[in-house]
């Protein structure tokens, strides 16, 4: 991970982890766990929606990074990705609300037990504490009634820079000391 496609790779990894955790015990079909916005999840049981991307200020770098003795690379951008995960009602009404709660419970359990999304890059999932009022603001999908959702942040996500500069390193240095400077060092004038 690290190229420009890293955002999509993180989303795919979340989807794959949830498919392994939920199918077939709680969700019979792998294809019903999809990346979608809540207004476009017609035939899905679990929707994963990337609703925000922000720069991670804690890891911001501004200096070029050494590739080797002759080249440097621009600093990466570090991001935090924000996800809304929603279970949708399927089947008979009296059973579907309980099934939604089971699915969300399993999502929470799974990410609580193993929050590391990518061990090599240190990408972690963290459940967010968002007020009900803010959740309702996020759920602004053409009059669709709010469905209980869980919210997670994936961070840090590194997007590599494409800037590469050739550099010339200092290999030899000459210093000239004037007679006056030499006298100051020896304690004479």
């Amino acid at each position: 991970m690290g190229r420009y496609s890293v955002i999509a790779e993180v989303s795919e990894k979340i989807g794959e982890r949830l498919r392994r955790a939920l199918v077939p015990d709680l969700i019979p079909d792998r294809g019903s766990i999809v990346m979608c916005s809540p207004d476009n999840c017609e035939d899905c049981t679990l929707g994963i929606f990337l609703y925000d991307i922000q720069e991670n200020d804690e890891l911001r770098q501004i200096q070029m990074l050494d590739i080797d003795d002759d080249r440097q690379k621009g600093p990466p951008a570090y991001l935090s990705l924000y996800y809304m995960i929603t279970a949708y009602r399927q089947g008979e009404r009296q059973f579907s609300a309980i099934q939604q709660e089971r699915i969300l419970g399993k999502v929470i359990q799974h990410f609580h037990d193993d929050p590391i999304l990518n061990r090599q890059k240190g990408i972690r999932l963290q459940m967010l504490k968002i007020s009900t009022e803010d959740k309702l603001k996020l759920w602004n999908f053409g009059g669709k009634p709010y469905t209980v959702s869980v919210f997670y942040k994936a961070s840090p996500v590194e997007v590599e820079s494409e800037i590469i500069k050739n550099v010339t390193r200092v290999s030899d240095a000459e210093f000239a000391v004037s007679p006056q400077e030499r006298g100051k060092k020896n304690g004479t004038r």
Side-chain angles (χ1 to χ4, degrees), residues 11 16 26-27 55 68 71 81 102 108 116 118 120 134 140-141 144 147:
S11 296
E16 190 52 41
L26 293 171
I27 297 176
E55 188 171 16
D68 54 37
R71 296 179 302 151
L81 309 180
R102 285 185 182 123
I108 293 166
I116 307 297
N118 181 308
Q120 182 182 3
D134 287 339
N140 189 12
F141 301 103
K144 280 195 143 194
T147 300

Side-chain angles (χ1 to χ4, degrees), residues 75-94:
Y78 287 100
L79 307 174
S80 295
L81 309 180
Y82 295 85
Y83 291 92
M84 176 189 311
I85 301 173
T86 308
Y88 296 94
R89 292 179 182 231
Q90 303 290 320
E92 297 180 34
R93 268 202 167 313
Q94 68 264 32

Side-chain angles (χ1 to χ4, degrees), residues 1-19:
M1 290 190 186
R3 300 165 305 280
Y4 69 89
S5 62
V6 69
I7 295 168
E9 292 168 13
V10 168
S11 296
E12 288 171 346
K13 181 80 170 174
I14 290 170
E16 190 52 41
R17 288 261 315 261
L18 290 174
R19 286 180 194 97

Side-chain angles (χ1 to χ4, degrees), residues 117-145:
L117 199 59
N118 181 308
R119 294 193 192 296
Q120 182 182 3
K121 294 287 187 175
I123 300 172
R124 295 181 60 88
L125 286 170
Q126 175 187 359
M127 188 173 188
L128 299 174
K129 297 176 184 176
I130 299 177
S131 71
T132 303
E133 182 180 328
D134 287 339
K135 288 178 183 180
L136 291 171
K137 287 178 187 174
L138 286 169
W139 188 281
N140 189 12
F141 301 103
K144 280 195 143 194

Side-chain angles (χ1 to χ4, degrees), residues 27 30 34 48 73 112 121 127 133 140 145 159 162 169 177 179 185:
I27 297 176
R30 292 176 57 84
V34 296
I48 305 160
K73 186 175 194 161
H112 174 77
K121 294 287 187 175
M127 188 173 188
E133 182 180 328
N140 189 12
V159 178
E162 288 187 321
R169 305 286 183 179
V177 179
K185 287 184 180 178

